[in-house]
Every structure is written in C-alpha cells, then in structure tokens.
Amino acid sequence: MLLLRLFGVTLIGFWRLIIGIILGTILYIYCFLYQEQIYTSVHTASRIVIDWIDHQPYILAYAKWFELLKIDDKLAFALYVLFGRLAWMLIESSWHFLLRKSTR
C-alpha cells in the first residue's frame, strides 16, 4: 500500500513538472516573439548573475566551474519554467479550493 501511494505521489510530481515545463516554454516563446523587452531583461539579469558568480573566488575554487560557464540562457529558460510551475501551482490550488468549497 505504501509503495502504491509513493508511486502515485511520484506520478503527481512528474505531472506537475511536465505542466510547468510546458507553460514555461509557452511563456518563453511568447516573450521571445511578442514581449522583447521582458525577454531581454530576463536574459540580461541572468547574465549579470552569472558574471557575479564568475568573480566569486570561493565558488571558483571549489566548483567545477568550467562545466557551469555560459549557462545564462539555460538559467533564463529555467526562470520561465519556474514561473510556469508557480502559475500551475496557483491554478491547481484554486481549483482544489473551489472543488472543496462546492462539495460542502
């Protein structure tokens, strides 16, 4: 029974991840095509963060930094996916709240 519950929780988490990736990708493409200022500002902010991290001696000494350089585009895409996951979490929570409210 415990294994079945763990499998169900894993499937729900995977479903939420997939929805977040899809929503984040849609948002990324929309900003690329129609909202150039937002797209550019997210990429600029991620580049600033990467440049700041690049100048931290502690991180450079203890990390495999050569593998992590030039990840600003991936970081910007991850931010869009994170926003998509947050949006889906809000939608799902609202849906569950309304469903519980209507059954009482």
Side-chain angles (χ1 to χ4, degrees):
M1 202 60 151
L2 180 64
L3 278 171
L4 198 57
R5 175 71 179 147
L6 291 175
F7 183 69
V9 169
T10 303
L11 282 179
I12 290 170
F14 182 71
W15 169 253
R16 289 177 179 154
L17 176 66
I18 294 298
I19 294 295
I21 289 172
I22 291 170
L23 290 176
T25 304
I26 290 169
L27 182 64
Y28 187 80
I29 292 170
Y30 173 76
C31 287
F32 177 74
L33 295 176
Y34 301 111
Q35 301 292 330
E36 186 177 339
Q37 183 180 9
I38 295 172
Y39 180 82
T40 307
S41 65
V42 168
H43 279 273
T44 303
S46 65
R47 183 75 246 166
I48 290 169
V49 169
I50 295 299
D51 287 341
W52 178 81
I53 291 173
D54 190 28
H55 291 93
Q56 301 302 312
Y58 185 78
I59 294 174
L60 288 175
Y62 294 102
K64 294 180 179 179
W65 192 242
F66 60 90
E67 295 175 5
L68 300 176
L69 284 174
K70 309 298 182 215
I71 62 169
D72 57 333
D73 292 334
K74 296 173 192 84
L75 179 64
F77 180 72
L79 291 173
Y80 283 103
V81 170
L82 176 68
F83 185 77
R85 293 216 41 203
L86 288 174
W88 177 250
M89 185 178 67
L90 179 68
I91 292 168
E92 190 177 24
S93 297
S94 301
W95 182 63
H96 283 293
F97 174 76
L98 292 173
L99 186 65
R100 274 191 237 123
K101 193 85 159 163
S102 68
T103 57
R104 285 185 189 175

